[in-house]
């Protein structure tokens, strides 16, 4: 049973349509005819992230500055999916660009929404195995990313101690570790 | 060693300052003097969410419509922290408002950022135990929330199968289950 129904969009107006930031202000009608005015939505492209193991079973992490919270975070690689790109191809491309690694195996471990109360996108989660360095980093103009190789045991310890701060990435790590049977219910 | 440094904010302009949505367009300078123009930040208050067990060891979930992705999701209770409110008090208040339950024990299990590339807030994560229904739901005007009680085993199964879609909530569930030793490395 599900008594909760979708809202109808009555009107929609973009307040920003910049390449880096698209947001709109909608007016909606709920199923009880109640009007919700306004409801703001930030439109973002679907993205990917990946928990990546090298052929030596080390985890490929990236250190990256996040301006909105003014912190340097230790994260897993990832990024936005290009137009018409398959999510699994996108994670392979992002891994190559951000770290220079290619992988023997790419396994989907789910998809997740960062904050579906305001953002409209999903992030596709991957486990990548057997990574080998085949190229140099190729970063976008505004990217500054340090690659960090970390033993799997140390990553598990940091995860236990809540030391990773990016929710999308933490979910990917848990899902990948369940898949690897490094974590069990 | 950390060669990545914070950016300086050169200018900052609000593109929306509505009670429900605050966003700004900044111009920044990186440590190599490179100018980042623009960088958009959505300002959000800190929030809380909680993995809550009743005295019968059932998990307290909420079914809620999320307009940005047009889906009804099964989530854990949570919400924004009020001005000057302690996070632990906020989760107790949100639990009472959304479900009518009060708890014997409230344990902090970490904090996490939904998407620190665009959102500036953290969410504080809690495990709540020994819940008893003491009141009716008291919802805000735009809230429509169905309370769902689910056996712990069923929640673990859904988590394994990637059936929860809200990243902040999934992280809270994993952290709480680790704390409860229902999940082990």
């Amino acid at each position: 049973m599900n008594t909760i129904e979708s809202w109808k969009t009555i009107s929609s107006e973009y307040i920003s349509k910049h390449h880096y930031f698209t947001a709109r202000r909608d007016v909606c009608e709920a199923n009880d005819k109640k009007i919700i005015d306004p409801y703001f939505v930030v439109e973002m492209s679907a993205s990917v992230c990946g928990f990546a193991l090298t052929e030596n079973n080390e985890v490929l992490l990236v250190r990256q500055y996040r301006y909105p919270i003014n912190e340097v975070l230790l994260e897993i690689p990832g990024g936005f999916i290009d137009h018409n790109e398959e999510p699994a191809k996108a994670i392979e491309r992002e891994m190559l660009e951000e770290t220079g690694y290619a992988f023997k195996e790419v396994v989907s471990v789910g998809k997740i929404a960062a904050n579906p109360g305001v953002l409209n996108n999903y992030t596709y989660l991957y486990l990548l195995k057997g990574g080998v360095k085949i190229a140099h980093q190729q970063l976008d103009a505004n990217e500054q990313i340090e690659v960090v190789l970390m033993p799997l045991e140390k990553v598990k310890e940091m995860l236990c101690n809540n030391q990773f701060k990016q929710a999308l990435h933490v979910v990917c790590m848990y899902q990948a570790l369940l898949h690897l049977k490094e974590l069990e219910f």
Side-chain angles (χ1 to χ4, degrees), chain A residues 82-114:
Chain A
D82 284 343
H83 184 63
N84 282 335
E85 189 179 34
E86 287 295 319
K89 290 290 165 208
I91 190 62
E92 289 189 293
R93 177 183 51 71
E94 286 288 346
M95 285 286 170
L96 193 61
E97 288 171 7
E98 293 191 354
T99 72
Y101 278 72
F103 296 83
K104 289 202 177 62
E105 201 181 335
V106 181
V107 184
S108 165
V109 293
K111 69 170 189 174
I112 200 86

Side-chain angles (χ1 to χ4, degrees), chain A residues 43-60:
Chain A
E43 297 183 2
M44 296 183 87
S45 301
S47 64
V48 290
C49 63
F51 186 77
L53 292 166
T54 67
E55 56 180 0
N56 302 320
N57 232 25
E58 286 182 305
V59 183
L60 213 47

Side-chain angles (χ1 to χ4, degrees), chain A residues 61-90:
Chain A
L61 300 174
V62 287
R63 203 190 293 277
Q64 193 166 6
Y65 175 64
R66 294 301 188 174
Y67 174 68
I69 58 171
N70 194 30
E71 287 182 55
V72 177
L73 298 186
L74 199 55
E75 304 190 347
I76 59 176
F80 290 108
I81 300 173
D82 284 343
H83 184 63
N84 282 335
E85 189 179 34
E86 287 295 319
K89 290 290 165 208

Side-chain angles (χ1 to χ4, degrees), chain A residues 28-42:
Chain A
C28 308
E29 185 186 314
N31 55 332
D32 57 3
K33 302 289 172 199
K34 198 171 56 189
I35 298 298
I36 295 98
D37 178 14
Y39 198 104
F40 294 91
V41 177
V42 175

